[in-house]
Amino acid sequence: MSKKSKRHQEHEEHADESWLLPYSDLMTLLLAMFIVLFGMSNIDSQKFQEMSDAFNSVFTGGSGVLDHNSMVSSNENTSMDDISNALNRKMNDLQRKEEENLVALKKQLDEYIEQHGLSEQLDTNLNQSQLMITISDIALFPSGEAEVKPDARILAKAIARMLEKFPDYEVFVSGHTDNIPISTNQFRDNWDLSSVRALNFMKILLLNDQLDPKMFIATGNGEYRPVASNDSSEGRSQNRRVEVSIIRKYQDSATVQVTTVE
């Protein structure tokens, strides 16, 4: 065997391991990236920016993410526990602020209901997932029809003005019926009736130019999500309704305290 070949084999037996140091830094970067990607998959751009701010408040120093000295400084002064705690504090603050805003909106809605004598036709409920406004079909539509009454248009516009304070929140408008079958020239069944009612009411809400249509969803549930028994006229009346739900963005059953405003 030649000396040249022998030297080549010795070089292969003692591989250069200097790559291990930047590799460990790369793994740290990848972990941080996956945390951010996970957050982006579950929250909107505003929440991502807030999470980014939290990261920036934890990681300081250096001229860039890939700056080695910056990573060393960060590794010496921070830990994943620090990052997690900072993000948890930020999320808790967002949840508290959201709760305060939704409680204030519920109070405003309840005052409107009381002032206009609508307590038998409208109701509000704030829970861990949403603020829901329930409107009786009697207040909105003629029997068996989906055209919104003129008086109900005023109500819809009032609700829309209140929703202006929550432009980044998803709003679900859902229609519901009782279990009495319906079959007319306009509606084949309760599915059709509930769907068109929800859509028509949503369109009136969206006459307000301050609301973003992409944040609204209209659905028809027919008779299949009752809130009372259909065995009585009173129960069937409760089941014929339209619900407008403002969906929480920062819901967490462990930390969000449900508040009811009388």
Side-chain angles (χ1 to χ4, degrees):
M1 180 180 298
S2 67
K3 292 182 178 180
K4 183 177 180 180
S5 175
K6 183 176 181 181
R7 284 197 303 270
H8 180 68
Q9 290 181 354
E10 289 176 352
H11 177 73
E12 291 179 343
E13 292 173 357
H14 298 84
D16 184 6
E17 296 181 353
S18 62
W19 59 272
L20 288 175
L21 291 178
Y23 178 78
S24 63
D25 289 341
L26 178 61
M27 291 299 99
T28 302
L29 281 172
L30 285 175
L31 178 59
M33 182 188 71
F34 285 135
I35 293 174
V36 173
L37 289 176
F38 174 77
M40 291 176 65
S41 69
N42 289 276
I43 58 180
D44 59 23
S45 58
Q46 179 182 352
K47 291 169 67 179
F48 169 69
Q49 183 60 48
E50 290 160 349
M51 288 183 65
S52 177
D53 293 341
F55 268 107
N56 290 335
S57 68
V58 176
F59 285 112
T60 58
S63 59
V65 168
L66 295 179
D67 186 275
H68 179 71
N69 292 330
S70 172
M71 287 304 300
V72 172
S73 175
S74 296
N75 289 335
E76 289 176 351
N77 295 286
T78 64
S79 67
M80 293 310 297
D81 285 341
D82 295 327
I83 299 173
S84 177
N85 291 336
L87 292 177
N88 285 337
R89 287 194 298 271
K90 185 68 174 179
M91 184 59 67
N92 288 337
D93 290 342
L94 293 171
Q95 289 168 351
R96 283 193 293 269
K97 183 63 175 177
E98 179 179 76
E99 181 74 5
E100 292 172 0
N101 291 338
L102 289 176
V103 167
L105 177 57
K106 184 181 188 302
K107 182 177 181 180
Q108 187 178 0
L109 286 164
D110 289 342
E111 289 174 351
Y112 180 91
I113 291 171
E114 182 178 358
Q115 291 171 3
H116 292 80
L118 299 172
S119 58
E120 294 184 0
Q121 301 173 8
L122 278 82
D123 184 41
T124 63
N125 179 46
L126 177 60
N127 58 37
Q128 292 177 349
S129 61
Q130 63 195 351
L131 170 59
M132 180 185 293
I133 308 163
T134 301
I135 312 171
S136 169
D137 75 321
I138 298 176
L140 298 180
F141 313 102
S143 178
E145 298 183 19
E147 187 69 24
V148 179
K149 294 178 179 179
D151 290 345
R153 290 175 175 269
I154 298 174
L155 169 64
K157 293 176 181 178
I159 293 175
R161 286 194 297 271
M162 298 180 198
L163 294 178
E164 289 179 9
K165 299 178 182 179
F166 297 82
D168 299 324
Y169 280 70
E170 285 189 327
V171 178
F172 283 65
V173 182
S174 56
H176 303 264
T177 69
D178 57 27
N179 65 346
I180 303 299
I182 184 174
S183 180
T184 66
N185 293 332
Q186 187 177 5
F187 306 111
R188 293 177 300 176
D189 51 33
N190 284 325
W191 281 112
D192 286 356
L193 176 61
S194 63
S195 298
V196 177
R197 281 181 167 182
L199 184 61
N200 286 349
F201 190 75
M202 184 187 72
K203 286 181 177 179
I204 297 176
L205 293 176
L206 291 176
L207 291 176
N208 187 321
D209 294 335
Q210 301 300 313
L211 302 181
D212 188 350
K214 73 181 181 182
M215 303 304 294
F216 283 71
I217 299 174
T219 61
N221 297 280
E223 64 203 66
Y224 299 104
R225 294 192 179 182
V227 293
S229 172
N230 280 306
D231 293 336
S232 66
S233 59
E234 182 180 355
R236 289 191 294 272
S237 177
Q238 294 181 50
N239 291 331
R240 297 190 300 270
R241 67 200 190 277
V242 169
E243 296 171 342
V244 180
S245 300
I246 305 166
I247 309 301
R248 288 184 187 267
K249 291 197 295 182
Y250 307 109
Q251 51 185 300
D252 186 337
S253 59
T255 57
V256 175
Q257 179 179 2
V258 178
T259 304
T260 302
V261 178
E262 299 296 341

